[in-house]
Amino acid sequence: MNNEVENTGKSPLLGKNILIGLTGSISCYKTCELIRKLIKNGARVKTVISPATLEFIGEKTLETLSDNKVYCDTFSKSRSTEHINIADWADLFVIAPITANTISKFASGIADNLITSTFNAYLGLKKPVIIAPAMNTGMLHNPFVQNNIKRLQNEGVKIVESETGQLACGTVGDGRLADVEKIYEKILENFHPERTSDQMTTKKRILLTMGGTKEPIDPVRFISNASSGRMGLCLADCARSMGYDVEIISTVKVENRPYKITYVNSALEMLDAVEKNFKNADYLIMAAAVADYRVKNPCSTKLSKENTGESVTLELVQNPDILKNMGKIKKENQKTIGFSLGTENLVETAKAKLQAKNADFIIANKAKVALNTGENEVWIIDKGGNATHIEKSSKENVAKAILERVL
Ligand code: CTP
């Protein structure tokens, strides 16, 4: 095992004793990367695990990476005061991944295995703890689990929130172990608290609209389009994992997400919601497919063939352009980003829209690829008229590429 320090002298982790706790989650493999990084940056690492952890990762792997024995649960193997010794040894205790089960035991003071006993002993010493939860979305949103997380936070335990994405159980949702970089960053913050307040004051806010608007004809009928809101949701999830505060205005139901969401139907309702929230946003991303026209006089009662006869004529009037309106009132530090869906002359049309709506970026996408599929192919147009092509890929990948360029 090569314990050579990569960042000699300057690393804030140099000589720090970091106790890494692991519990039974498929994401244990990511913790290996974290341990490697901590050691490369000069930290001394010991690992303590719950019995279930060994279902997901080998003891030898942790032992080799940390260059220390693994503290696990069998009393026959361990000395009975081991939990006290490692609690004393550690400058920081990081439990990543932590399951719903261990969170709840920690919060209740249960000490039925080596990791929970260590936590019990350690917390009494008033030393710092960081937890990074990983579990299925339903478990994460279970009110008991949420309550237990809050109880731990009330005792000063820091949390690296889980991310949204594809989970091991196959569903897409909240509960994926945070990126190793984020956990590492939180560890650095622990040894340099001033970094935390810096980051809190600079956390940027994104207001994002998504889904196709529904323009009423009568109380039960509307005019709409084929937008599913999927690209918008990928952008929201990706922005959140990049550390942005995301607020959504949507016409489609968003399941299992932690965002503040305002649901709207029509373009007029969307305009109203955007106007109310724009002043607090650093970025407005208009991923919604806003109908250009609405019915001038929607009927207040359901139309029926009895009174409409052979044919019906609907008079349409233009909707206000939300992106354009915000483009007029935005402050210097606010950026507006729009989408442009087309079938031909995509880049040229997008450039014209960027000018007309005073946007900072327009994302041109091909109707054929984007609508009702899991993929997209886009060109990102900036104010200088440059077009960056993002090749056809999953909407998740395209969202990441867009945000890396525009934020
Ligand atoms: N948009 C908006 N308000 C509208 C129409 C569109 O804010 N009333 C926003 C969309 O959310 C998108 C961008 O403007 O981000 C471009 O929308 P698009 O419908 O492609 O462009 P239009 O300017 O409406 O042009 P077109 O005539 O091609 O539909």
Side-chain angles (χ1 to χ4, degrees), residues 261-282:
I261 304 172
T262 307
Y263 288 106
V264 295
N265 285 310
S266 65
L268 290 180
E269 287 173 14
M270 185 171 278
L271 172 67
D272 189 46
V274 170
E275 279 177 340
K276 282 194 179 120
N277 293 289
F278 184 57
K279 61 179 176 304
N280 294 325
D282 296 291

Side-chain angles (χ1 to χ4, degrees), residues 133-142 146 149 160-169 171-178 182 237 240-241 255-259:
M135 65 196 75
N136 154 275
T137 312
M139 291 173 93
L140 184 65
H141 292 285
N142 174 319
Q146 283 299 317
I149 291 176
V160 188
E161 287 196 38
S162 60
E163 293 174 356
T164 306
Q166 179 103 37
L167 302 176
C169 55
T171 57
V172 174
D174 211 5
R176 196 164 69 175
L177 180 68
K182 272 209 192 145
D237 291 345
R240 179 171 175 259
S241 31
E255 306 273 6
N256 296 326
R257 297 295 201 281
Y259 310 112

Side-chain angles (χ1 to χ4, degrees), residues 286-288 290-292 319-323 338-341 353 357:
M286 285 293 305
V290 186
D292 290 324
N319 267 326
D321 192 311
I322 305 171
L323 183 64
F339 277 72
S340 169
L341 186 74
K353 281 181 188 170
K357 303 189 188 207

Side-chain angles (χ1 to χ4, degrees), residues 209-211 213 215 267 270-271 274 284-293 318-326 337-342 349 352-354 356-357 359 361-363 365:
T209 66
M210 52 182 262
T213 61
E215 309 301 330
M270 185 171 278
L271 172 67
V274 170
L284 170 67
I285 304 183
M286 285 293 305
V290 186
D292 290 324
Y293 295 91
Q318 219 172 57
N319 267 326
D321 192 311
I322 305 171
L323 183 64
K324 192 171 180 178
N325 285 2
M326 298 308 115
I337 297 136
F339 277 72
S340 169
L341 186 74
T349 313
K353 281 181 188 170
L354 185 133
K357 303 189 188 207
F361 293 94
I362 291 281
I363 318 298
N365 44 171

Side-chain angles (χ1 to χ4, degrees), residues 184-248:
Y184 180 74
E185 190 60 31
K186 200 78 173 176
I187 293 173
L188 290 184
E189 276 174 14
N190 173 73
F191 295 110
H192 275 283
E194 68 280 8
R195 291 168 65 103
T196 322
S197 50
D198 278 1
Q199 285 190 344
M200 269 167 35
T201 52
T202 58
K203 198 163 183 187
K204 301 272 187 191
R205 304 177 64 158
I206 296 176
L207 180 63
L208 185 137
T209 66
M210 52 182 262
T213 61
K214 296 171 184 157
E215 309 301 330
I217 297 170
D218 69 14
V220 294
R221 302 183 181 93
F222 55 81
I223 300 173
S224 193
N225 56 63
S227 169
S228 66
R230 191 161 165 183
M231 190 68 223
L233 194 55
C234 288
L235 287 161
D237 291 345
C238 181
R240 179 171 175 259
S241 31
M242 287 165 78
Y244 290 83
D245 257 353
V246 181
E247 190 174 329
I248 292 178

